[in-house]
Amino acid sequence: MTNNDPIIQVRDLSFSYSGEPALSNISFDIAEKEFLAIIGPNGGGKSTLVKLMLGLLEPDSGRITIHGRSPRKMAHLFGYVPQDVNINIHFPVSVMDVVLMGRLRHRGRRGIHREDRQKAMESMQMMGVAGFKNRTIKDLSAGQRERVFIARALAADPEILILDEPTASVDTGGKTELYHLLGKLNETKTVIVVSHDLMIISSYVKSVACVNRSLHYHHHNEITETMIEMGYQCPVELIAHGQPHRILKTHGDR
Amino acid sequence: MIDALQYEFMRNAVLAAVFASLIFGIIGSFVVVNRLVFLAGGIAHAAYGGIGIAFFFGIPYIYGTIGVSLAAAFLMTAVAIKAKERSDIFIGVLWAVGMAMGVILLDLTPGYHSDLMSYLFGSILAVPAADIWWMCALGGITLIVTVAFYRDILAISYDAEFAKLRGVPVNLLYFIFIALVAVSIVFIIRMVGLILVIALLTIPPYIAEKFARSLMMMMVLSVLFSLIFNLTGLWISYSYDLTSGATIIMVAAAGFFLSLGVRFAASRIKKWRKKSAHRAAGA
Protein backbone atom coordinates (compact mmCIF):
# COMPACT_ATOMS: atom_id res chain seq x y z
CA MET A 1 0.00 0.00 0.00
CA THR A 2 1.27 3.49 -0.83
CA ASN A 3 1.84 5.97 1.92
CA ASN A 4 -0.09 8.90 0.45
CA ASP A 5 -3.38 10.30 1.68
CA PRO A 6 -6.34 8.57 0.08
CA ILE A 7 -7.51 10.16 -3.15
CA ILE A 8 -11.03 8.74 -2.75
CA GLN A 9 -12.75 8.25 0.59
CA VAL A 10 -16.01 6.37 0.92
CA ARG A 11 -17.81 6.43 4.26
CA ASP A 12 -20.97 4.49 5.29
CA LEU A 13 -22.27 4.66 1.74
CA SER A 14 -25.73 3.27 0.96
CA PHE A 15 -27.73 3.41 -2.23
CA SER A 16 -30.99 1.86 -3.37
CA TYR A 17 -33.01 1.77 -6.57
CA SER A 18 -36.63 2.58 -5.67
CA GLY A 19 -36.41 0.88 -2.29
CA GLU A 20 -34.29 -2.02 -3.51
CA PRO A 21 -30.93 -1.72 -1.76
CA ALA A 22 -28.01 -1.93 -4.17
CA LEU A 23 -25.18 -1.01 -1.82
CA SER A 24 -25.29 -0.87 1.94
CA ASN A 25 -22.94 0.64 4.43
CA ILE A 26 -19.77 0.68 2.41
CA SER A 27 -16.55 2.27 3.64
CA PHE A 28 -13.12 2.19 2.04
CA ASP A 29 -10.24 4.37 0.90
CA ILE A 30 -8.48 4.41 -2.43
CA ALA A 31 -4.88 5.57 -2.27
CA GLU A 32 -3.21 7.68 -4.92
CA LYS A 33 -1.65 5.65 -7.77
CA GLU A 34 -3.73 2.70 -6.69
CA PHE A 35 -4.69 0.04 -9.20
CA LEU A 36 -7.98 -1.26 -7.90
CA ALA A 37 -10.09 -4.00 -9.40
CA ILE A 38 -13.75 -3.91 -8.41
CA ILE A 39 -15.19 -7.34 -8.88
CA GLY A 40 -18.45 -9.02 -8.03
CA PRO A 41 -21.43 -10.74 -9.55
CA ASN A 42 -23.74 -9.10 -12.06
CA GLY A 43 -26.26 -6.93 -10.25
CA GLY A 44 -23.97 -6.80 -7.22
CA GLY A 45 -23.63 -3.01 -7.44
CA LYS A 46 -20.28 -2.57 -9.20
CA SER A 47 -21.46 -0.09 -11.81
CA THR A 48 -23.61 1.68 -9.22
CA LEU A 49 -20.57 2.19 -7.02
CA VAL A 50 -18.66 3.62 -9.97
CA LYS A 51 -21.48 6.04 -10.84
CA LEU A 52 -21.62 7.17 -7.22
CA MET A 53 -17.89 7.86 -7.25
CA LEU A 54 -18.30 9.84 -10.47
CA GLY A 55 -21.13 11.88 -8.98
CA LEU A 56 -23.59 10.65 -11.62
CA LEU A 57 -25.73 9.20 -8.81
CA GLU A 58 -26.39 10.67 -5.37
CA PRO A 59 -26.03 8.37 -2.35
CA ASP A 60 -29.02 7.73 -0.05
CA SER A 61 -26.74 8.09 2.94
CA GLY A 62 -23.05 8.29 3.66
CA ARG A 63 -20.60 10.24 1.56
CA ILE A 64 -17.86 10.05 -1.00
CA THR A 65 -15.06 12.57 -1.22
CA ILE A 66 -12.41 13.01 -3.89
CA HIS A 67 -9.42 14.90 -2.46
CA GLY A 68 -11.79 15.86 0.34
CA ARG A 69 -14.43 17.39 -1.96
CA SER A 70 -17.69 16.16 -3.44
CA PRO A 71 -17.48 14.05 -6.61
CA ARG A 72 -19.50 16.55 -8.63
CA LYS A 73 -16.95 19.28 -7.99
CA MET A 74 -14.12 16.92 -8.88
CA ALA A 75 -15.69 15.32 -11.96
CA HIS A 76 -12.97 16.81 -14.15
CA LEU A 77 -10.37 14.60 -12.47
CA PHE A 78 -11.99 11.48 -13.85
CA GLY A 79 -11.52 9.73 -17.12
CA TYR A 80 -14.48 7.39 -17.51
CA VAL A 81 -14.99 4.49 -19.88
CA PRO A 82 -18.61 3.33 -19.62
CA GLN A 83 -19.63 -0.28 -19.76
CA ASP A 84 -21.53 -0.11 -23.02
CA VAL A 85 -19.36 1.20 -25.84
CA ASN A 86 -21.98 0.17 -28.38
CA ILE A 87 -24.56 2.77 -27.41
CA ASN A 88 -25.85 4.80 -30.33
CA ILE A 89 -23.85 2.66 -32.68
CA HIS A 90 -25.47 4.15 -35.80
CA PHE A 91 -24.88 7.71 -34.70
CA PRO A 92 -23.15 9.70 -37.46
CA VAL A 93 -20.03 10.72 -35.58
CA SER A 94 -16.34 10.37 -36.39
CA VAL A 95 -13.75 8.81 -34.11
CA MET A 96 -12.05 12.20 -33.78
CA ASP A 97 -15.27 13.88 -32.66
CA VAL A 98 -15.92 11.17 -30.06
CA VAL A 99 -12.42 11.55 -28.61
CA LEU A 100 -12.83 15.35 -28.62
CA MET A 101 -15.82 14.90 -26.28
CA GLY A 102 -13.21 14.00 -23.70
CA ARG A 103 -11.91 17.57 -23.98
CA LEU A 104 -15.31 19.25 -23.49
CA ARG A 105 -15.15 22.08 -20.95
CA HIS A 106 -11.53 21.30 -20.27
CA ARG A 107 -10.47 23.77 -17.56
CA GLY A 108 -13.89 25.34 -18.01
CA ARG A 109 -13.20 26.44 -21.58
CA ARG A 110 -15.85 26.26 -24.26
CA GLY A 111 -15.25 25.28 -27.86
CA ILE A 112 -12.54 23.17 -29.44
CA HIS A 113 -9.05 24.60 -29.74
CA ARG A 114 -5.90 23.43 -31.47
CA GLU A 115 -4.54 22.11 -28.18
CA ASP A 116 -7.65 19.95 -27.79
CA ARG A 117 -7.12 18.36 -31.19
CA GLN A 118 -3.49 17.77 -30.36
CA LYS A 119 -4.34 16.06 -27.08
CA ALA A 120 -7.03 14.00 -28.78
CA MET A 121 -4.48 12.88 -31.38
CA GLU A 122 -2.00 11.91 -28.68
CA SER A 123 -4.45 9.76 -26.79
CA MET A 124 -5.62 8.14 -30.04
CA GLN A 125 -2.00 7.33 -30.88
CA MET A 126 -1.53 5.86 -27.41
CA MET A 127 -4.53 3.61 -27.98
CA GLY A 128 -3.53 2.75 -31.54
CA VAL A 129 -6.65 4.20 -33.14
CA ALA A 130 -5.17 7.36 -34.69
CA GLY A 131 -5.38 5.74 -38.12
CA PHE A 132 -9.17 5.59 -37.80
CA LYS A 133 -9.70 9.19 -36.78
CA ASN A 134 -11.91 10.08 -39.73
CA ARG A 135 -13.94 6.88 -39.75
CA THR A 136 -17.42 6.90 -38.32
CA ILE A 137 -17.94 4.98 -35.12
CA LYS A 138 -20.19 2.40 -36.79
CA ASP A 139 -17.36 1.33 -39.11
CA LEU A 140 -15.26 0.04 -36.21
CA SER A 141 -15.19 -3.33 -34.49
CA ALA A 142 -16.29 -3.52 -30.87
CA GLY A 143 -12.68 -3.86 -29.74
CA GLN A 144 -11.67 -0.77 -31.71
CA ARG A 145 -14.59 1.15 -30.24
CA GLU A 146 -13.43 0.18 -26.77
CA ARG A 147 -10.02 1.71 -27.55
CA VAL A 148 -11.65 4.85 -28.89
CA PHE A 149 -13.60 5.20 -25.65
CA ILE A 150 -10.44 4.78 -23.61
CA ALA A 151 -8.77 7.41 -25.81
CA ARG A 152 -11.71 9.71 -25.07
CA ALA A 153 -11.26 9.14 -21.34
CA LEU A 154 -7.53 9.86 -21.60
CA ALA A 155 -7.89 13.00 -23.73
CA ALA A 156 -8.20 15.30 -20.71
CA ASP A 157 -5.23 13.63 -18.98
CA PRO A 158 -7.27 12.52 -15.96
CA GLU A 159 -5.86 11.86 -12.52
CA ILE A 160 -8.20 8.93 -11.99
CA LEU A 161 -9.12 6.50 -14.75
CA ILE A 162 -12.26 4.40 -14.26
CA LEU A 163 -13.15 1.61 -16.66
CA ASP A 164 -16.38 -0.31 -16.37
CA GLU A 165 -15.97 -3.82 -17.81
CA PRO A 166 -13.38 -2.82 -20.40
CA THR A 167 -12.69 -6.35 -21.53
CA ALA A 168 -16.24 -7.36 -22.36
CA SER A 169 -15.76 -6.91 -26.10
CA VAL A 170 -12.03 -7.60 -26.37
CA ASP A 171 -10.44 -10.91 -27.35
CA THR A 172 -7.81 -12.59 -25.17
CA GLY A 173 -4.84 -11.09 -27.00
CA GLY A 174 -6.44 -7.68 -26.78
CA LYS A 175 -7.01 -8.15 -23.06
CA THR A 176 -3.36 -8.84 -22.31
CA GLU A 177 -2.40 -5.78 -24.30
CA LEU A 178 -5.04 -3.69 -22.53
CA TYR A 179 -3.89 -4.75 -19.07
CA HIS A 180 -0.32 -3.97 -20.01
CA LEU A 181 -1.37 -0.51 -21.09
CA LEU A 182 -3.38 0.07 -17.92
CA GLY A 183 -0.34 -1.02 -15.91
CA LYS A 184 1.71 1.62 -17.72
CA LEU A 185 -0.93 4.30 -17.16
CA ASN A 186 -0.94 3.33 -13.49
CA GLU A 187 2.58 4.75 -13.17
CA THR A 188 1.07 8.22 -13.26
CA LYS A 189 -2.62 7.67 -12.58
CA THR A 190 -4.99 6.00 -10.18
CA VAL A 191 -6.70 3.23 -12.12
CA ILE A 192 -10.00 1.62 -11.16
CA VAL A 193 -11.29 -1.28 -13.22
CA VAL A 194 -14.64 -2.96 -12.85
CA SER A 195 -14.41 -6.50 -14.04
CA HIS A 196 -15.73 -9.95 -13.62
CA ASP A 197 -12.65 -11.24 -15.32
CA LEU A 198 -10.31 -12.53 -12.62
CA MET A 199 -7.40 -12.58 -15.02
CA ILE A 200 -6.80 -8.90 -14.42
CA ILE A 201 -6.07 -9.47 -10.75
CA SER A 202 -3.04 -11.58 -11.38
CA SER A 203 -1.08 -9.09 -13.39
CA TYR A 204 -1.12 -5.41 -12.56
CA VAL A 205 -3.73 -4.91 -9.89
CA LYS A 206 -2.57 -3.77 -6.47
CA SER A 207 -5.80 -4.29 -4.57
CA VAL A 208 -9.21 -5.83 -5.04
CA ALA A 209 -12.66 -4.78 -3.86
CA CYS A 210 -15.37 -7.43 -3.86
CA VAL A 211 -18.79 -5.86 -4.21
CA ASN A 212 -22.03 -7.65 -3.61
CA ARG A 213 -24.22 -5.09 -1.83
CA SER A 214 -21.49 -4.99 0.79
CA LEU A 215 -17.83 -4.47 0.02
CA HIS A 216 -14.66 -6.28 1.04
CA TYR A 217 -11.38 -4.58 0.36
CA HIS A 218 -8.26 -6.66 -0.15
CA HIS A 219 -5.01 -4.77 -0.13
CA HIS A 220 -3.26 -7.41 -2.20
CA ASN A 221 -3.77 -8.84 -5.60
CA GLU A 222 -4.79 -12.12 -4.12
CA ILE A 223 -7.61 -14.23 -5.33
CA THR A 224 -9.70 -15.67 -2.56
CA GLU A 225 -12.10 -18.51 -2.56
CA THR A 226 -14.90 -16.05 -1.89
CA MET A 227 -14.04 -14.07 -4.98
CA ILE A 228 -14.40 -17.15 -7.06
CA GLU A 229 -17.59 -18.11 -5.28
CA MET A 230 -19.01 -14.66 -5.92
CA GLY A 231 -19.97 -15.82 -9.31
CA TYR A 232 -17.46 -15.55 -12.07
CA GLN A 233 -18.43 -17.56 -15.03
CA CYS A 234 -14.84 -18.39 -15.66
CA PRO A 235 -12.55 -20.05 -13.14
CA VAL A 236 -11.47 -21.82 -16.31
CA GLU A 237 -9.93 -18.63 -17.59
CA LEU A 238 -8.00 -18.37 -14.34
CA ILE A 239 -6.45 -21.76 -14.78
CA ALA A 240 -5.71 -21.13 -18.42
CA HIS A 241 -3.79 -18.06 -17.41
CA GLY A 242 -1.54 -20.18 -15.20
CA GLN A 243 -2.07 -18.17 -12.07
CA PRO A 244 1.14 -18.92 -10.18
CA HIS A 245 -0.04 -18.22 -6.67
CA ARG A 246 -3.52 -18.64 -5.38
CA ILE A 247 -3.79 -17.42 -1.86
CA LEU A 248 -7.09 -18.53 -0.48
CA LYS A 249 -8.21 -16.39 2.39
CA THR A 250 -11.62 -15.70 3.78
CA HIS A 251 -13.05 -12.20 4.27
CA GLY A 252 -12.45 -10.51 7.57
CA ASP A 253 -8.95 -11.76 8.21
CA ARG A 254 -7.50 -8.50 7.05
CA MET B 1 -44.62 27.52 -60.71
CA ILE B 2 -42.88 30.82 -61.52
CA ASP B 3 -46.06 32.55 -62.60
CA ALA B 4 -47.79 31.18 -59.54
CA LEU B 5 -45.38 33.29 -57.46
CA GLN B 6 -47.28 36.43 -58.47
CA TYR B 7 -49.89 35.40 -55.89
CA GLU B 8 -49.06 36.48 -52.35
CA PHE B 9 -50.32 33.22 -50.84
CA MET B 10 -47.95 31.32 -53.10
CA ARG B 11 -44.98 33.48 -52.18
CA ASN B 12 -45.86 32.97 -48.52
CA ALA B 13 -46.13 29.24 -49.05
CA VAL B 14 -42.68 29.07 -50.66
CA LEU B 15 -41.15 31.17 -47.87
CA ALA B 16 -42.87 28.98 -45.29
CA ALA B 17 -41.47 25.90 -47.00
CA VAL B 18 -37.94 27.34 -46.94
CA PHE B 19 -37.95 28.37 -43.28
CA ALA B 20 -39.75 25.21 -42.30
CA SER B 21 -37.05 23.14 -43.99
CA LEU B 22 -34.36 24.95 -42.05
CA ILE B 23 -36.15 24.41 -38.74
CA PHE B 24 -37.33 20.84 -39.32
CA GLY B 25 -34.02 19.71 -40.76
CA ILE B 26 -32.12 20.75 -37.64
CA ILE B 27 -34.77 19.97 -35.03
CA GLY B 28 -35.75 16.74 -36.76
CA SER B 29 -32.13 15.55 -36.69
CA PHE B 30 -32.03 16.23 -32.97
CA VAL B 31 -35.29 14.34 -32.48
CA VAL B 32 -34.13 11.34 -34.51
CA VAL B 33 -30.66 10.92 -32.97
CA ASN B 34 -32.05 11.36 -29.46
CA ARG B 35 -34.90 8.93 -30.16
CA LEU B 36 -37.49 11.51 -29.24
CA VAL B 37 -39.92 10.63 -32.04
CA PHE B 38 -42.58 9.41 -29.63
CA LEU B 39 -42.15 12.50 -27.46
CA ALA B 40 -42.50 14.71 -30.55
CA GLY B 41 -45.67 12.84 -31.48
CA GLY B 42 -46.98 13.38 -27.96
CA ILE B 43 -46.29 17.10 -28.14
CA ALA B 44 -47.96 17.39 -31.54
CA HIS B 45 -51.15 15.69 -30.44
CA ALA B 46 -51.29 17.36 -27.05
CA ALA B 47 -51.06 20.64 -28.98
CA TYR B 48 -54.55 19.88 -30.31
CA GLY B 49 -55.74 20.78 -26.81
CA GLY B 50 -54.24 24.20 -27.50
CA ILE B 51 -56.41 24.55 -30.60
CA GLY B 52 -59.47 23.79 -28.43
CA ILE B 53 -58.40 26.36 -25.85
CA ALA B 54 -57.79 28.96 -28.55
CA PHE B 55 -61.24 28.45 -30.08
CA PHE B 56 -63.03 28.27 -26.74
CA PHE B 57 -61.50 31.44 -25.31
CA GLY B 58 -61.34 33.21 -28.64
CA ILE B 59 -57.59 33.83 -28.49
CA PRO B 60 -55.30 33.53 -31.52
CA TYR B 61 -54.61 29.94 -32.46
CA ILE B 62 -50.86 30.38 -32.31
CA TYR B 63 -50.80 31.34 -28.60
CA GLY B 64 -53.04 28.46 -27.60
CA THR B 65 -51.00 25.82 -29.40
CA ILE B 66 -47.58 27.19 -28.44
CA GLY B 67 -48.64 27.46 -24.80
CA VAL B 68 -50.06 23.95 -24.60
CA SER B 69 -47.29 22.29 -26.61
CA LEU B 70 -44.61 23.96 -24.47
CA ALA B 71 -46.37 22.91 -21.26
CA ALA B 72 -46.78 19.35 -22.52
CA ALA B 73 -43.16 19.25 -23.72
CA PHE B 74 -41.76 20.41 -20.37
CA LEU B 75 -43.90 17.96 -18.42
CA MET B 76 -42.86 15.09 -20.65
CA THR B 77 -39.18 16.04 -20.49
CA ALA B 78 -39.24 16.41 -16.71
CA VAL B 79 -40.72 12.93 -16.43
CA ALA B 80 -38.26 11.56 -18.98
CA ILE B 81 -35.35 12.90 -16.90
CA LYS B 82 -36.74 11.78 -13.53
CA ALA B 83 -38.20 8.39 -14.42
CA LYS B 84 -36.85 7.30 -17.76
CA GLU B 85 -38.35 3.80 -17.79
CA ARG B 86 -41.96 4.92 -17.42
CA SER B 87 -41.88 8.10 -19.46
CA ASP B 88 -43.44 6.47 -22.54
CA ILE B 89 -46.65 5.78 -20.63
CA PHE B 90 -46.81 9.33 -19.36
CA ILE B 91 -46.27 10.66 -22.89
CA GLY B 92 -49.04 8.37 -24.15
CA VAL B 93 -51.45 9.72 -21.55
CA LEU B 94 -50.66 13.38 -22.29
CA TRP B 95 -50.97 12.60 -26.01
CA ALA B 96 -54.54 11.37 -25.52
CA VAL B 97 -55.57 13.93 -22.88
CA GLY B 98 -54.45 16.81 -25.11
CA MET B 99 -56.51 15.54 -28.02
CA ALA B 100 -59.55 14.79 -25.87
CA MET B 101 -59.38 18.23 -24.30
CA GLY B 102 -59.25 19.78 -27.77
CA VAL B 103 -62.29 17.82 -28.96
CA ILE B 104 -64.37 18.64 -25.86
CA LEU B 105 -63.48 22.33 -25.88
CA LEU B 106 -64.46 22.51 -29.55
CA ASP B 107 -67.77 20.78 -28.68
CA LEU B 108 -68.37 23.47 -26.09
CA THR B 109 -67.53 26.28 -28.49
CA PRO B 110 -70.60 27.50 -30.37
CA GLY B 111 -70.43 27.90 -34.13
CA TYR B 112 -69.36 25.84 -37.08
CA HIS B 113 -65.63 25.10 -37.35
CA SER B 114 -65.15 24.82 -41.04
CA ASP B 115 -61.37 24.81 -41.18
CA LEU B 116 -60.73 22.18 -38.53
CA MET B 117 -59.58 19.88 -41.29
CA SER B 118 -56.72 22.27 -41.93
CA TYR B 119 -55.41 21.61 -38.43
CA LEU B 120 -55.51 17.89 -38.98
CA PHE B 121 -53.99 17.96 -42.46
CA GLY B 122 -52.58 21.47 -42.65
CA SER B 123 -52.59 23.93 -45.49
CA ILE B 124 -49.37 25.60 -46.45
CA LEU B 125 -51.26 27.75 -48.95
CA ALA B 126 -53.17 29.37 -46.09
CA VAL B 127 -50.11 30.26 -44.00
CA PRO B 128 -50.56 33.93 -43.04
CA ALA B 129 -47.78 36.48 -43.45
CA ALA B 130 -47.44 36.79 -39.65
CA ASP B 131 -46.47 33.13 -39.45
CA ILE B 132 -43.64 33.72 -41.90
CA TRP B 133 -42.07 36.21 -39.49
CA TRP B 134 -42.50 33.77 -36.62
CA MET B 135 -40.83 31.06 -38.64
CA CYS B 136 -38.03 33.34 -39.77
CA ALA B 137 -37.29 34.21 -36.13
CA LEU B 138 -37.57 30.60 -35.03
CA GLY B 139 -35.26 29.48 -37.83
CA GLY B 140 -32.72 32.11 -36.77
CA ILE B 141 -32.88 31.06 -33.12
CA THR B 142 -32.57 27.38 -33.99
CA LEU B 143 -29.55 28.05 -36.18
CA ILE B 144 -27.80 30.21 -33.57
CA VAL B 145 -28.42 27.78 -30.70
CA THR B 146 -27.24 24.85 -32.80
CA VAL B 147 -24.05 26.52 -33.99
CA ALA B 148 -23.23 27.97 -30.56
CA PHE B 149 -23.76 24.69 -28.71
CA TYR B 150 -22.86 22.23 -31.46
CA ARG B 151 -20.18 20.33 -29.50
CA ASP B 152 -22.42 20.13 -26.44
CA ILE B 153 -25.42 18.99 -28.45
CA LEU B 154 -23.31 16.36 -30.17
CA ALA B 155 -22.01 15.04 -26.83
CA ILE B 156 -25.45 15.05 -25.19
CA SER B 157 -27.03 13.23 -28.10
CA TYR B 158 -24.27 10.64 -28.35
CA ASP B 159 -23.53 9.99 -24.68
CA ALA B 160 -25.40 12.21 -22.21
CA GLU B 161 -23.81 10.64 -19.15
CA PHE B 162 -20.31 11.40 -20.36
CA ALA B 163 -21.33 14.94 -21.32
CA LYS B 164 -22.66 15.46 -17.80
CA LEU B 165 -19.38 14.25 -16.36
CA ARG B 166 -17.53 16.80 -18.48
CA GLY B 167 -19.63 19.58 -16.97
CA VAL B 168 -22.02 20.18 -19.86
CA PRO B 169 -25.40 21.47 -18.53
CA VAL B 170 -27.19 18.48 -20.00
CA ASN B 171 -30.67 19.02 -18.56
CA LEU B 172 -30.73 22.74 -19.38
CA LEU B 173 -29.75 22.15 -23.01
CA TYR B 174 -32.23 19.32 -23.20
CA PHE B 175 -35.03 21.65 -22.09
CA ILE B 176 -33.95 24.36 -24.53
CA PHE B 177 -34.01 21.93 -27.43
CA ILE B 178 -37.29 20.35 -26.40
CA ALA B 179 -38.76 23.85 -26.27
CA LEU B 180 -37.55 24.39 -29.84
CA VAL B 181 -39.11 21.06 -30.81
CA ALA B 182 -42.43 22.11 -29.25
CA VAL B 183 -42.56 25.49 -30.97
CA SER B 184 -41.45 24.02 -34.30
CA ILE B 185 -44.19 21.44 -34.13
CA VAL B 186 -46.80 24.18 -33.86
CA PHE B 187 -45.65 25.49 -37.22
CA ILE B 188 -45.48 22.07 -38.82
CA ILE B 189 -49.09 21.62 -37.78
CA ARG B 190 -49.87 24.75 -39.78
CA MET B 191 -48.21 23.30 -42.85
CA VAL B 192 -48.94 19.60 -42.93
CA GLY B 193 -51.32 19.15 -40.02
CA LEU B 194 -50.84 17.33 -36.77
CA ILE B 195 -51.53 13.92 -38.27
CA LEU B 196 -48.52 14.17 -40.55
CA VAL B 197 -46.14 16.05 -38.28
CA ILE B 198 -44.07 13.02 -37.38
CA ALA B 199 -43.48 12.09 -40.99
CA LEU B 200 -42.08 15.47 -41.97
CA LEU B 201 -40.02 15.73 -38.79
CA THR B 202 -38.43 12.31 -39.13
CA ILE B 203 -38.22 11.27 -42.79
CA PRO B 204 -35.59 13.79 -43.96
CA PRO B 205 -33.26 13.19 -40.94
CA TYR B 206 -33.74 9.46 -41.25
CA ILE B 207 -32.61 9.49 -44.87
CA ALA B 208 -29.78 11.92 -44.04
CA GLU B 209 -28.53 9.80 -41.12
CA LYS B 210 -27.66 6.95 -43.48
CA PHE B 211 -25.45 9.10 -45.67
CA ALA B 212 -24.03 11.54 -43.14
CA ARG B 213 -20.65 11.19 -41.46
CA SER B 214 -21.33 13.75 -38.76
CA LEU B 215 -24.30 15.28 -36.95
CA MET B 216 -23.61 18.58 -38.72
CA MET B 217 -23.71 16.87 -42.12
CA MET B 218 -26.89 15.07 -41.10
CA MET B 219 -28.52 18.40 -40.23
CA VAL B 220 -27.43 20.05 -43.49
CA LEU B 221 -28.59 17.08 -45.57
CA SER B 222 -31.96 16.89 -43.85
CA VAL B 223 -32.51 20.61 -44.42
CA LEU B 224 -31.82 19.97 -48.13
CA PHE B 225 -34.05 16.90 -48.33
CA SER B 226 -36.77 18.71 -46.45
CA LEU B 227 -36.51 21.65 -48.86
CA ILE B 228 -36.77 19.33 -51.88
CA PHE B 229 -39.81 17.52 -50.45
CA ASN B 230 -41.59 20.69 -49.39
CA LEU B 231 -41.12 22.56 -52.66
CA THR B 232 -41.83 19.56 -54.87
CA GLY B 233 -44.93 18.73 -52.82
CA LEU B 234 -46.07 22.31 -52.98
CA TRP B 235 -45.58 22.45 -56.74
CA ILE B 236 -47.46 19.18 -57.33
CA SER B 237 -50.31 20.20 -55.05
CA TYR B 238 -50.60 23.52 -56.85
CA SER B 239 -50.44 21.98 -60.34
CA TYR B 240 -52.95 19.21 -59.69
CA ASP B 241 -55.05 20.97 -57.06
CA LEU B 242 -54.31 18.44 -54.31
CA THR B 243 -54.23 18.90 -50.54
CA SER B 244 -50.79 20.36 -49.89
CA GLY B 245 -49.96 18.62 -46.59
CA ALA B 246 -50.78 15.17 -47.87
CA THR B 247 -48.93 15.82 -51.15
CA ILE B 248 -45.78 16.94 -49.31
CA ILE B 249 -45.87 13.81 -47.17
CA MET B 250 -46.30 11.58 -50.24
CA VAL B 251 -43.27 13.21 -51.86
CA ALA B 252 -41.27 12.70 -48.65
CA ALA B 253 -42.37 9.07 -48.50
CA ALA B 254 -41.32 8.61 -52.14
CA GLY B 255 -37.93 10.06 -51.21
CA PHE B 256 -37.74 7.69 -48.27
CA PHE B 257 -38.36 4.57 -50.36
CA LEU B 258 -36.05 5.87 -53.08
CA SER B 259 -33.26 6.21 -50.50
CA LEU B 260 -33.88 2.66 -49.30
CA GLY B 261 -33.61 1.49 -52.90
CA VAL B 262 -30.41 3.45 -53.48
CA ARG B 263 -28.82 2.02 -50.35
CA PHE B 264 -29.87 -1.50 -51.24
CA ALA B 265 -28.43 -1.13 -54.75
CA ALA B 266 -25.21 0.40 -53.37
CA SER B 267 -24.65 -2.48 -50.96
CA ARG B 268 -25.34 -4.97 -53.77
CA ILE B 269 -22.83 -3.32 -56.08
CA LYS B 270 -20.25 -3.26 -53.29
CA LYS B 271 -20.72 -6.96 -52.66
CA TRP B 272 -20.58 -7.77 -56.36
CA ARG B 273 -17.37 -5.75 -56.74
CA LYS B 274 -15.78 -7.52 -53.80
CA LYS B 275 -16.73 -10.86 -55.28
CA SER B 276 -15.34 -10.10 -58.71
CA ALA B 277 -12.15 -8.67 -57.19
CA HIS B 278 -11.86 -11.91 -55.25
CA ARG B 279 -12.34 -13.93 -58.37
CA ALA B 280 -9.76 -11.87 -60.27
CA ALA B 281 -7.28 -12.37 -57.45
CA GLY B 282 -7.98 -16.09 -57.40
CA ALA B 283 -7.50 -16.49 -61.15
Side-chain angles (χ1 to χ4, degrees), chain B residues 74-85 87 164 170-172 174-175 178:
Chain B
F74 285 157
L75 269 173
M76 290 173 188
T77 314
V79 173
I81 288 171
K82 280 275 167 215
K84 212 163 205 156
E85 324 77 51
S87 62
K164 199 172 170 187
V170 173
N171 289 349
L172 177 70
Y174 220 66
F175 270 108
I178 298 289

Side-chain angles (χ1 to χ4, degrees), chain A residues 106-163:
Chain A
H106 188 64
R107 299 188 202 289
R109 276 186 323 193
R110 284 181 35 89
I112 296 294
H113 306 264
R114 188 190 296 168
E115 188 202 341
D116 297 318
R117 288 184 187 279
Q118 227 166 350
K119 285 282 177 194
M121 265 320 279
E122 282 169 23
S123 60
M124 280 190 283
Q125 272 156 0
M126 197 188 301
M127 293 311 302
V129 291
F132 308 140
K133 70 180 166 111
N134 293 324
R135 286 215 211 154
T136 52
I137 209 83
K138 65 169 173 278
D139 295 330
L140 303 183
S141 71
Q144 289 166 335
R145 258 194 297 279
E146 183 74 50
R147 288 163 164 277
V148 170
F149 272 58
I150 298 174
R152 178 179 73 165
L154 291 175
D157 198 16
E159 204 172 306
I160 310 163
L161 184 63
I162 299 191
L163 303 95

